Amino acid sequence: MTSWQSLHEGWTLTAVRGADVPEAVASARIPATVPGCVHTDLLAAGLIPDPYLDEHELTLNWIGRTDWCYETVFRWDGGAGDARDGGAGDARDGVDADRVELMCAGLDTVATVTLNDVEIGRTANMHRSYRFDVGGLLRAGDNVLRVRFDSAYRHAEAEQRRLGDRPNAYPTPFNFIRKMACNFGWDWGPELVTAGIWQEIGLRTWRTARLAEVRPLVTVVDAEGRVSVRVAVELAGDGAAADGATPAAPLTLRAGVAGQVAETTLAAGQREAELSLTVADPELWWPRGYGEQPRYPLTVTLHAGDRELDAWQRKVGFRSVRLETTPDEHGSAFTVVVNDLPIFARGVNWIPDDCFPHRVTRQRYARRLGQACEANVNFLRVWGGGRYESEDFYDLADELGLLVGQDFLFACAAYPEEEPLAGEIRAEAAEQVVRLASHPSLVLWFGNNENIWGWHDWGWQAELAGRSWGAGYYFELLPGIVADLDPARPYWPGSPWSGRPEIHPNDPAHGSTHIWTVWNQLDYLHYRDYLPRFVAEFGWQGPASYATLRRAISDPRGLAEDSPAMAHRQKAGDGRLKLARGLAAHLPAPRDFDDWHYLTQLNQARAISVGVEHLRSYRPICMGSVVWQLNDCWPVTSWAAVDGDGRRKPLWYALRRAYADRLLTIQPRQGGLALVAVNDGGTPWTGRVDVRRLTLAGEPRGKASVELSVPPYSEFTWPLPAEVAAADDPRAELLVADPGGDGERAFWFFAPDRDLRYPPAEYDATLEPSQEGVVRVRVTARTILRDLLLAPDRLDPAAEVDEALVTLLPGESTTFTVRSTAPLDPAALTTRPVLRCVNDMLPQP
Ligand code: BMA
């Protein structure tokens, strides 16, 4: 049996070399946390301020330009460590001796590892794991392990000089080093170039042989759902005794899943084998909303005679997946098909949830993925400027039935294909494809983020002057690796990518597309100009929640739209102008920061609702709407639905509505309007929908009804008759579509808010008694109230509300449920700026 001694204790950190290291750091031996990184160690030691607060980021650049050394002293007792089976490393049983390896699951990034002053390895890839044979170097008693990290910045710059510069959307050399790209700063992220032992580290002791690689290939083989599980296994170790003699017993591999067992005995010297199992009648794994997510433990064990040498276990799920990309009259499809059912991807993009990834615990992943599920999301795209997501992430995605598209880690830049980068990428990709192969949630690999588009459109070709940019990775290396190691999993060379070199890579009619022209240059109503097949990115910015900003900005004067503190939290090109342009097209001008904060958050929610509802209304031509972005890594103004402190922005609530199984929406069609009912649930949607045309004062002007009968996974479009489709006075009327039974009401306003003749908001708001920590706020409208928002985090940072952006007609009521840790002031809870709506911006009567 193998044993494991983790080496997470007793670490210290010292600055080895760097021009701008502060004196207090230069002379210190700093207690270090492993897994961890330099920034969080310095923070814990009180040697730097929190990089996420105020403008501290700007003062911490030296960290990424410094060389650091981690050191620990650990005891080695000759191999009789914890969890051992059979004890000694002294070949007592006369068969063979122990092998001891130092296992580093992740080193960030340019590391030199020494044990007892002997160099045992050098690494330069954050996305690989390493094993170093250390048996001969260990001493009984104390051993000194050091991991020295050279400045990632300097390393990348040296490679950049050596290889010649390559185009990059950002002014940093992240494309010359295999390290999380957004560490170098992004248009939503701070520049915090980390170093450290970012994943677990320890000693693995084994003898004779161990499982070096286990690769499960699960395929559903026939219509009856029979499943084939092939397990490819590679062994390490020569299987021989320490003296080189053959082992006493032959090696045997055993695999088991769902009550089936396969076994094979290896010939002397055989290091690779494949075991095959067939499961006759398994329960299939389904995406959330389509069925259950049963998983089956798959176990592989390695034996020498009756001695178990090593064991491996993962939970697998049985499902088929393919990507439907056949050309048709609209272009070429891009549809994820699971268990032969085409799935509309109600998606969001995922970025690293923290600049310091070791801080993202399983609990935090669970919370964040839970927030995605509660917003009716069924698809996550893990973006290529971050990381190959963790076991916890994928395990939770499997459990929750979330589908995942994982980018290989290339984003927004040309990547050299020269050595040693090419070799690093080959090794990294092979390792990650194997590591993630067991997860049913992983349905798609993308070759990169926006690099093919960049090469095509962003002036790269001239700049490159013939130098390599990554094409060999996206079109040859990576598809080859996926086809070899995990052939049942679809691969797509990039996002965006049209499927064919002769078609523009970002052609919306072909493959996966990104729609950024709208946010960058146009108004959000222009989402409706597109008839895409699968939108893997589109987004609209909004600021973080109020409590998040208050925590991040210590000077209250920083809470101003034009403050340096807010400018520091706006990393997007012309972001402030784009926010202002978006507001001006729709909403009344903000008078103060509170207005600005509410309106920009509201506009973000409106923009994405327009986009999502439009895209869903065109199913099955369009089969994916993947919003940029679910999460943030720090407190920032960004496209995220959940901010850097984990608070849900109004966009989150809007997404939950727009991504509901049953969506009722009013859409422009052929010069008029249509009611579209999208049914993404498994049962038919029937019932009557009443569409009323009303004045803003609530007086009826026209009415029409339709009987719905929408089969599962389909849509129904009903052109609205003239009496509701056209307003007598577009500035003073709206449409309301109410479904009988299930589904949410849909609204249509004939003019933007800034042109509407709203009555000034009038309402009664009362608190309803409830249990401790819960307050219900009941709002009864005396006039129309457009997009009511209750922001209890303004009163208690821990307070949360169950609903947001509710529109009420005169006489209607709604109840918000607020959970808080502190008593909330009733007067504040029922008035502006905590409770507000669009038409409270108008003068009160
Ligand atoms: C796309 C993404 C990210 C970026 C986002 C917003 O380019 O792939 O690189 O953060 O747009 O600009």
Short mmCIF file of all heavy atoms in Angstrom, two decimals, residues 532 569 627:
data_model
loop_
_atom_site.label_atom_id
_atom_site.label_comp_id
_atom_site.label_asym_id
_atom_site.label_seq_id
_atom_site.Cartn_x
_atom_site.Cartn_y
_atom_site.Cartn_z
N PRO A 532 -27.57 34.31 -33.67
CA PRO A 532 -26.40 33.43 -33.52
C PRO A 532 -26.82 32.00 -33.17
O PRO A 532 -27.95 31.75 -32.77
CB PRO A 532 -25.67 34.07 -32.35
CG PRO A 532 -26.74 34.71 -31.53
CD PRO A 532 -27.88 35.06 -32.45
N ARG A 569 -11.40 50.68 -9.57
CA ARG A 569 -12.23 49.47 -9.69
C ARG A 569 -12.93 49.39 -11.04
O ARG A 569 -13.94 48.71 -11.17
CB ARG A 569 -13.29 49.48 -8.60
CG ARG A 569 -12.91 48.80 -7.37
CD ARG A 569 -13.49 49.42 -6.13
NE ARG A 569 -12.38 49.79 -5.27
CZ ARG A 569 -11.56 48.89 -4.73
NH1 ARG A 569 -11.78 47.62 -4.87
NH2 ARG A 569 -10.52 49.28 -4.03
N VAL A 627 -23.58 34.00 -20.53
CA VAL A 627 -23.37 35.39 -20.13
C VAL A 627 -21.96 35.56 -19.58
O VAL A 627 -21.46 34.72 -18.84
CB VAL A 627 -24.42 35.77 -19.05
CG1 VAL A 627 -24.10 37.12 -18.43
CG2 VAL A 627 -25.82 35.76 -19.64
#
